[in-house]
C-alpha cells in the first residue's frame, strides 16, 4: 500500500469543504460514524493510523477494526453517549490488517443536524508510543521489584538459617562457627546497604540528600571511607592501594554527599574485584578540578551495559550475582551532579573498571586554608593493615 | 540405612546450611552447586528425596527436576523446591515439573526437615499401597 493510498480520505457529500480540509490537516485521527457505528468518513491521520485507505473503511463497522478486548469498551462508550447525550472519552486498541496494533485515546460526541444527532465524530489521538514506554517502565519496575524480593529473601534466609543453626548447635566446632558468623555478618551488611540505598533514593527523589557545602578535607574523607571498608576488603582478600599525590587544598563541597559517592564507588570496586585482586584509589588535583579515581581489576563492564550503569534500578549481568539494589551508581551519579561534578567510567572486559569522580574547584576554600592544609602523602598499603 | 537426600543449590552457603542440619538430623546428604552434575550424581547415588533450588545459572530447578524424574533408577523420587521467589506462577510451574512441595526463603532448617519427613511418609505409604 503506497503512502498516497493510506492518506487518501473519503468525504461525505454533504460536508462543507473548508471544514473537512481542516479535519484532513489535523495531526490527530478524526472519523465519522453513523449512529449504528459504521464508518462514514475518516481523515488522513486516522487512515494512516490504521494503515487503511478511506474507501476501504467506508461502510465497515467501527468494531471490525478494534482488538477483541476493546470492543466491549467501545460499545459501552457509544451506548453511554446515546443514553446520556454526553461526549465520551475512552482508550481503545485498533487492530490493523498487518497485525500491528495502535492504542488511541478517543473523544467522541454527536454531530447534530437540525438539532438531532446524525453521526458520531471521534478524535483519536495515537498514544501507542506512550503505552509502550509506560509498559517498559512498568516491566522495569516489576523486574526490579522481583530482583529486590529475591535478594532480600536470599539474605534473610541465610541469616535465619545460620542463626538457628548456631542456636541449636552450641557445641559446633570453632572453624564452622566462625564461618557461619561471617555469613550472617555479610548478609546483615548487605541488607543494611539495601536499606541505605533505598532510603537515599527516596531522599534524592525529594532533593533531601545533598547536605550543605563546607570546607572538606578530601584526603581525610577518602581515608575515612577506606577505613570503613578495611574489614570487607580483608574478608574478600582484596588489596586496596592509595595514591594521593599532592593535593592543592580542601574543597568547598558537601562532605555527606562526597562520602556517599565514595562509599558507593568503593563498594562496587571491592565487590567486583576478584579474590586476591586489587582496588586502587588515587587523587589527581589541578587548579580547576579534583579527580578521584577508583579502579578495580574485576571482570569489567560489557560494552552494551556501559550506557545504562547509572540508570536507577539497572543491574548488569555481574550485578545479578552480586545482588545489589541497582541504585548505588544512580545515587552516586546524581550526587556528583548535585556537587557540580560528574562521574565517568572506563572499562575493559576481563581487565577491570575505573570510575572517575571529577569535582570542580570553583568556590574552593580560602587561600589561607589551602596553605595551612597540604598533603604530600603517597603510599600503597593493603587496607587490611590500616586501623 | 540412612535416607539419602540430594541438595542442589548454586549458592554454596545454602548447601552448607542444609547439609549441616540434615546430617545432624541423621540423613545421608549428597550435594552439588552445579545442576548439570546433579543427574549423574543422582543416577549413581539413588537419593530418596531431592531438594532443588529454582534459580540457578546453568540450569533452573524445574528443568533439572524433569531430567531427574526421567532417570529410570530414580522413579518417583519426591522433589522439594527451594526458592527466593514467592510468586504463584512459579509454584504452579514447580508442581508441573514434578515437585511435591515448595519452600520459600526465608525458612528455618526445621521447616525443611518437617517437609522432608512428611513427603517421605506419604511416598512410603503410597509405595506400600501400590505393592
Amino acid at each position: 500500500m503506497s503512502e498516497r493510498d493510506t492518506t487518501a480520505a473519503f468525504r461525505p457529500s454533504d460536508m462543507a469543504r473548508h471544514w473537512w480540509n481542516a479535519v484532513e490537516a489535523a495531526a490527530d485521527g478524526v472519523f465519522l460514524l453513523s449512529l449504528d457505528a459504521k464508518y462514514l468518513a475518516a481523515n488522513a491521520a486516522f487512515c494512516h493510523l490504521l494503515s487503511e485507505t478511506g474507501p476501504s473503511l467506508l461502510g465497515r463497522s467501527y468494531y471490525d477494526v478494534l482488538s477483541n478486548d476493546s470492543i466491549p469498551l467501545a460499545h459501552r462508550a457509544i451506548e453511554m453517549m446515546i443514553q446520556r447525550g454526553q461526549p465520551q472519552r475512552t482508550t481503545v486498541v485498533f487492530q490493523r490488517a498487518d497485525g500491528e496494533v495502535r492504542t488511541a485515546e478517543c473523544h467522541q460526541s454527536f454531530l447534530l443536524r437540525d438539532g438531532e444527532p446524525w453521526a458520531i465524530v471521534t478524535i483519536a489521538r495515537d498514544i501507542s508510543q506512550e503505552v509502550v514506554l509506560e509498559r517498559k517502565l512498568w516491566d522495569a519496575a516489576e523486574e526490579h521489584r522481583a530482583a529486590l524480593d529475591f535478594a532480600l529473601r536470599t539474605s534473610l534466609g541465610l541469616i535465619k538459617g545460620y542463626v538457628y543453626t548456631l542456636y541449636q548447635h552450641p557445641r559446633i566446632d570453632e572453624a564452622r562457627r566462625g564461618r557461619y558468623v561471617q555469613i550472617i555478618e555479610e548478609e546483615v551488611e548487605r541488607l543494611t546497604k539495601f536499606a541505605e540505598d533505598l532510603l537515599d533514593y527516596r531522599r534524592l527523589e525529594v532533593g533531601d540528600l545533598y547536605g550543605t557545602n563546607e570546607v572538606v578535607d578530601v584526603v581525610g574523607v577518602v581515608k575515612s571511607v577506606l577505613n570503613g571498608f578495611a574489614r570487607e576488603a580483608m574478608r574478600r582478600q582484596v588489596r586496596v592501594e592509595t595514591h594521593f599525590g599532592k593535593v592543592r587544598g580542601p574543597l568547598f563541597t558537601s562532605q555527606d554527599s562526597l562520602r556517599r559517592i565514595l562509599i558507593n564507588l568503593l563498594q562496587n570496586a571491592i565487590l567486583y574485584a576478584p579474590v586476591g585482586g586489587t582496588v586502587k584509589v588515587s587523587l589527581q588535583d589541578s587548579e580547576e578540578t579534583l579527580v578521584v579515581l577508583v579502579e578495580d581489576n574485576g571482570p569489567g563492564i560489557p560494552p552494551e551495559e556501559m550506557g545504562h550503569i547509572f540508570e536507577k534500578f539497572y543491574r548488569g549481568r555481574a550485578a545479578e550475582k552480586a545482588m545489589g539494589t541497582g541504585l548505588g551508581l544512580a545515587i552516586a551519579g546524581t550526587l556528583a551532579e548535585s556537587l557540580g561534578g560528574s562521574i565517568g567510567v572506563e572499562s575493559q572486559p576481563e581487565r577491570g573498571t575505573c570510575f572517575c569522580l571529577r569535582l570542580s574547584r570553583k568556590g574552593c576554600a580560602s587561600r589561607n586554608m589551602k596553605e595551612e592544609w597540604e598533603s604530600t602523602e603517597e603510599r600503597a598499603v593493603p587496607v587490611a593493615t590500616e586501623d | 540405612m540412612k535416607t539419602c537426600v540430594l541438595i542442589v543449590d548454586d549458592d554454596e552457603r545454602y548447601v552448607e546450611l542444609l547439609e549441616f542440619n540434615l546430617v545432624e538430623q541423621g540423613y545421608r546428604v549428597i550435594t552439588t552447586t552445579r545442576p548439570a552434575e546433579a543427574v549423574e550424581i543422582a543416577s549413581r547415588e539413588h537419593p530418596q528425596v531431592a531438594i532443588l533450588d529454582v534459580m540457578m545459572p546453568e540450569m533452573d530447578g524445574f528443568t533439572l527436576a524433569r531430567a531427574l524424574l526421567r532417570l529410570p533408577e530414580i522413579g518417583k523420587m519426591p522433589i522439594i523446591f527451594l526458592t527466593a521467589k514467592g510468586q504463584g506462577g512459579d509454584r504452579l510451574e514447580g508442581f508441573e515439573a514434578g515437585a511435591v512441595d515448595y519452600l520459600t526463603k526465608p525458612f528455618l532448617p526445621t521447616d525443611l526437615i518437617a517437609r522432608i519427613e512428611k513427603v517421605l511418609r506419604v511416598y512410603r505409604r503410597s509405595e506400600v499401597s501400590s505393592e
Side-chain angles (χ1 to χ4, degrees):
Chain A
M1 189 183 292
S2 73
E3 183 67 14
R4 187 180 177 82
D5 285 336
T6 58
T7 56
F10 58 101
R11 302 153 193 200
S13 57
D14 59 347
M15 189 171 287
R17 182 176 292 274
H18 66 277
W19 185 80
W20 186 254
N21 282 345
V23 169
E24 268 291 2
D28 287 336
V30 181
F31 57 92
L32 295 187
L33 298 175
S34 61
L35 296 183
D36 61 349
K38 299 276 194 306
Y39 282 98
L40 296 175
N43 73 345
F46 186 69
C47 290
H48 185 69
L49 184 137
L50 282 189
S51 193
E52 296 270 358
T53 61
S56 70
L57 280 173
L58 182 62
R60 283 172 68 186
S61 167
Y62 172 44
Y63 308 114
D64 278 357
V65 289
L66 290 174
S67 74
N68 288 340
D69 291 345
S70 290
I71 291 171
L73 286 172
H75 197 265
R76 183 167 167 73
I78 289 182
E79 266 188 352
M80 293 287 284
M81 196 165 58
I82 290 169
Q83 281 173 16
R84 298 184 181 177
Q86 290 173 342
Q88 295 292 315
R89 192 173 78 172
T90 183
T91 302
V92 294
V93 177
F94 289 98
Q95 180 73 56
R96 294 175 16 161
D98 60 8
E100 298 276 315
V101 292
R102 290 288 182 274
T103 307
E105 195 174 69
C106 293
H107 294 256
Q108 295 181 306
S109 58
F110 284 127
L111 279 184
L112 302 178
R113 186 159 52 195
D114 301 329
E116 289 296 317
W118 70 274
I120 298 163
V121 63
T122 304
I123 301 171
R125 171 156 292 183
D126 187 354
I127 56 166
S128 305
Q129 284 186 343
E130 288 90 327
V131 168
V132 169
L133 187 66
E134 200 173 307
R135 192 165 297 147
K136 274 187 187 167
L137 288 172
W138 172 264
D139 288 348
E142 192 59 21
E143 194 180 318
H144 174 253
R145 193 204 59 75
L148 206 60
D149 186 44
F150 178 83
L152 287 174
R153 286 177 179 279
T154 299
S155 289
L156 288 172
L158 288 167
I159 294 168
K160 193 171 178 177
Y162 280 111
V163 166
Y164 166 88
T165 304
L166 289 172
Y167 179 74
Q168 287 292 318
H169 305 281
R171 290 195 204 91
I172 203 166
D173 67 79
E174 277 306 308
R176 213 180 267 274
R177 173 182 299 279
R179 200 162 61 244
Y180 292 178
V181 168
Q182 185 181 318
I183 290 171
I184 293 167
E185 202 175 50
E186 281 173 1
E187 293 311 308
V188 169
E189 277 176 23
R190 191 195 304 276
L191 290 178
T192 306
K193 176 74 169 57
F194 258 62
E196 282 173 354
D197 274 2
L198 290 171
L199 288 172
D200 280 357
Y201 174 65
R202 291 289 170 220
R203 287 188 196 124
L204 267 181
E205 279 193 321
V206 295
D208 189 30
L209 192 71
Y210 302 130
T212 49
N213 282 1
E214 57 192 309
V215 176
V216 177
D217 167 8
V218 177
V219 174
V221 173
V222 172
K223 282 181 184 173
S224 151
V225 170
L226 280 171
N227 280 339
F229 281 101
R231 284 189 67 189
E232 192 171 338
M234 190 163 61
R235 195 165 57 219
R236 301 180 70 90
Q237 297 170 44
V238 171
R239 178 181 163 84
V240 179
E241 295 179 0
T242 56
H243 300 274
F244 293 156
K246 185 173 172 63
V247 177
R248 302 170 75 89
L251 203 65
F252 190 65
T253 190
S254 160
Q255 180 160 319
D256 291 344
S257 296
L258 177 62
R259 176 179 289 277
R260 195 75 181 99
I261 295 167
L262 293 172
I263 286 173
N264 287 6
L265 294 182
L266 264 165
Q267 189 135 37
N268 248 24
I270 291 173
L271 195 62
Y272 293 115
V275 172
T278 306
V279 167
K280 290 180 190 166
V281 180
S282 45
L283 298 183
Q284 294 172 359
D285 203 3
S286 70
E287 204 162 311
E288 296 287 313
T289 319
L290 193 150
V291 175
V292 185
L293 297 163
V294 180
E295 297 173 71
D296 67 66
N297 64 340
I301 301 166
E304 67 273 15
E305 293 184 4
M306 286 285 275
H308 301 284
I309 58 171
F310 289 103
E311 291 172 10
K312 63 187 179 190
F313 300 139
Y314 183 79
R315 297 162 73 252
R317 271 180 307 184
E320 283 170 17
K321 196 179 166 197
M323 294 196 298
T325 54
L327 289 171
L329 286 177
I331 291 169
T334 309
L335 285 177
E337 279 175 23
S338 79
L339 300 180
S342 64
I343 300 178
V345 58
E346 284 180 14
S347 187
Q348 290 184 48
E350 309 305 327
R351 297 193 67 176
T353 303
C354 176
F355 284 94
C356 168
L357 168 65
R358 287 177 186 279
L359 297 168
S360 171
R361 275 210 164 275
K362 284 177 188 168
C364 192
S366 70
R367 178 180 290 270
N368 283 347
M369 187 158 260
K370 270 204 254 179
E371 285 166 359
E372 282 172 19
W373 188 92
E374 288 275 296
S375 169
T376 54
E377 198 167 359
E378 183 156 4
R379 62 204 178 107
V381 291
V383 133
T385 62
E386 293 187 354
D387 290 332
Chain B
M1 196 171 129
K2 289 179 175 179
T3 302
C4 179
V5 180
L6 168 67
I7 297 172
V8 187
D9 193 321
D10 64 313
D11 188 333
E12 58 192 27
R13 300 166 305 173
Y14 267 101
V15 169
E16 178 162 6
L17 173 67
L18 302 182
E19 183 180 17
F20 176 82
N21 281 281
L22 288 175
V23 167
E24 286 289 315
Q25 205 62 26
Y27 289 96
R28 184 166 77 89
V29 178
I30 46 175
T31 68
T32 177
T33 55
R34 302 199 56 194
E37 292 174 356
V39 176
E40 188 200 328
I41 293 171
S43 63
R44 192 175 63 234
E45 301 284 341
H46 300 177
Q48 276 94 47
V49 60
I51 315 296
L52 308 182
D53 185 31
V54 173
M55 276 184 73
M56 294 184 283
E58 288 177 358
M59 184 194 290
D60 68 59
F62 303 140
T63 309
L64 175 59
R66 291 187 192 99
L68 287 172
L69 293 175
R70 276 198 295 270
L71 291 173
E73 57 271 47
I74 294 296
K76 293 175 186 169
M77 173 181 69
I79 292 174
I80 299 173
F81 281 115
L82 300 181
T83 179
K85 290 169 80 180
Q87 304 293 318
D90 297 329
R91 289 172 196 235
L92 186 65
E93 194 179 348
F95 286 118
E96 281 171 358
V100 295
D101 212 338
Y102 209 101
L103 210 52
T104 304
K105 297 171 186 174
F107 58 84
L108 283 175
T110 43
D111 297 336
L112 177 64
I113 291 163
R115 303 283 177 108
I116 292 173
E117 286 172 357
K118 185 181 162 195
V119 298
L120 284 173
R121 264 200 312 276
V122 173
Y123 181 69
R124 281 172 186 148
R125 206 179 300 145
S126 69
E127 267 194 330
V128 169
S129 63
S130 64
E131 280 171 7

